[in-house]
Amino acid sequence: MKLKQRVVLLAILLVIFIFTKVFLIDNLDTSAANREDQRAFHRMMAGLRVELVPKLDHTLQSPWEIAAQWVVPREVYPEETPELGAIMHAMATKKIIKADVGYKGTQLKALLILEGGQKVVFKPKRYNRDYVVEGEPYAGYDRHNAEVAAFHLDRILGFRRAPLVVGRFVNLRTEIKPVATEQLLSTFLTVGNNTCFYGKCYYCRETEPACADGDTMEGSVTLWLPDVWPLQKHRHPWGRTYREGKLARWEYDESYCDAVKKTSPYDSGPRLLDIIDTAVFDYLIGNADRHHYESFQDDEGASMLILLDNAKSFGNPSLDERSILAPLYQCCM
C-alpha cells in the first residue's frame, strides 16, 4: 500500500475513532443525566407518599390543631408535613357527630362535624371511575375522586393552596341519619335497596339523588379551613357566561387582560399571577368551571387564590380544553 493511501486510511480511522468516542461520551453523559433524573423523581415521589397512620408522634396536639396552625396567607399546608398522614387518617375515620346540608352552591354536598369539632365537606360518589362525561367541559355532576386527585396534584406542583382531601366510606344508615339535622334528613329516600339523599343546593333534585351501595356510600372529605381565616368570594375575571350563544368578553377580546390589569386586585400584588397558576392547574385537571374563587378576607390582594371546589375535573380524558389557559396566553406573564 502506498504512503498516500496509508495516510488516507489512517485519517479515516482517526475520524471514526473520534466520532465513536464522542458518541460514547454523549451516551454516557445522557445515561448519567437520565439516572440522576430518575433518582430525583424517586426522591420526589418518596417525599410525596402519604401513609394514613392513626398516631401523631411527639405531640399532644389534635390533628385538627396541627392542620389549623399550618394555614398562612400564602399556604394551606407547609412543604414539610410529617403529620399529614395522621391528619388524613383522622379525616377518613373519626366519628361523625353531626351532619347537615352543605353550604350554598350548585352541587350536592353535606357538611359533617367530626369528633373533636372539625368541620369537613362530604361530596358523594356519583359516577364510576371509568365514566366519561360528554358535552361541555363543565358538564355533569361533581366527581368526588377529582377532589382527591386535584389535592395531590396541588402537592406535586408545590402550590400548597388546596385544602386537604381524602376519600372516605360512610354508612348512611348508622353514621349519618342518627346525627343528621331535620333539613338533611328530609332529603333521604330509598331507591331499590339503596339509601339515597339529594340534599339542598341550586341543582339538587329529588329525582336525582346520590345513592349508596346499600347503606355504604363512597365520597371525598375536604377539611374545612379554620374560622380564624374567613374567606372572601370573588368573581373570576375569566368566568364563563354559561349561556348558549353568549360569549364572555375574554372569549372574543384578545386584549382583555390589559383591562384586567387596570382593576383591583389585579393591578398590583400576586393575584394575577395566581390566576395564571390556577389556569395551568385547571387545564391539567380539566376544570373549566372556576367561575368564582376564594381568597382570605381583608387581604388587599396579598392572599393566595385558594384552590377550592375542584370536583368538576377529570370528566373526559380525551378532551383538552384550551380556553382554560386563556389567562396564561392572553396575559403572557
Side-chain angles (χ1 to χ4, degrees), residues 88-283:
M88 294 177 70
H89 182 272
M91 292 167 62
T93 60
K94 284 287 187 183
K95 183 180 179 181
I96 300 165
I97 60 175
K98 185 178 179 181
D100 199 356
V101 296
Y103 56 91
K104 290 181 180 179
T106 61
Q107 299 290 313
L108 173 60
K109 60 186 78 70
L111 179 63
L112 309 180
I113 298 180
L114 304 183
E115 188 177 17
Q118 178 62 50
K119 295 179 187 176
V120 296
V121 176
F122 179 78
K123 293 190 176 181
K125 175 184 176 182
R126 305 297 297 258
Y127 300 113
N128 291 326
R129 292 287 192 278
D130 57 354
Y131 184 86
V132 176
V133 180
E134 303 287 356
E136 297 292 343
Y138 46 81
Y141 300 120
D142 275 358
R143 274 78 76 178
H144 76 289
N145 51 311
E147 288 281 12
V148 177
F151 164 65
H152 288 290
L153 179 62
D154 175 70
R155 296 177 62 226
I156 291 169
L157 295 177
F159 286 167
R160 299 189 288 279
R161 301 172 192 169
L164 277 58
V165 184
V166 70
R168 176 165 181 162
F169 288 94
V170 296
N171 187 302
L172 296 182
R173 181 176 57 83
T174 62
E175 292 184 90
I176 300 296
K177 292 181 77 172
V179 296
T181 62
E182 285 298 325
Q183 193 175 22
L184 178 60
L185 203 57
S186 67
T187 72
F188 273 78
L189 64 156
T190 302
V191 178
N193 294 321
N194 302 318
T195 303
C196 311
F197 77 102
Y198 56 90
K200 299 281 186 182
C201 70
Y202 188 80
Y203 289 123
C204 290
R205 304 283 186 273
E206 186 174 355
T207 54
E208 300 179 26
C211 291
D213 182 6
D215 291 322
T216 304
M217 175 173 277
E218 181 183 341
S220 67
V221 172
T222 302
L223 194 69
W224 195 272
L225 291 170
D227 291 338
V228 295
W229 292 95
L231 301 183
Q232 182 174 353
K233 194 169 189 174
H234 310 264
R235 183 175 293 277
H236 197 298
W238 277 268
R240 301 171 188 275
T241 66
Y242 298 94
R243 297 178 193 170
E244 189 174 350
K246 183 174 176 59
L247 297 177
R249 180 178 167 184
W250 63 267
E251 293 180 279
Y252 61 82
D253 182 359
E254 286 299 318
S255 64
Y256 173 71
C257 188
D258 293 334
V260 174
K261 290 177 183 176
K262 296 174 184 176
T263 60
S264 179
Y266 312 107
D267 55 349
S268 63
R271 185 62 56 79
L272 185 54
L273 291 173
D274 284 355
I275 290 279
I276 294 170
D277 282 348
T278 303
V280 175
F281 178 79
D282 283 340
Y283 179 75

Side-chain angles (χ1 to χ4, degrees), residues 299-321:
D299 62 348
E300 297 181 355
S303 152
M304 62 187 159
L305 186 161
I306 303 166
L307 297 175
L308 279 171
D309 290 334
N310 302 307
K312 280 290 184 76
S313 309
F314 300 105
N316 188 339
S318 301
L319 178 65
D320 295 316
E321 181 55 49

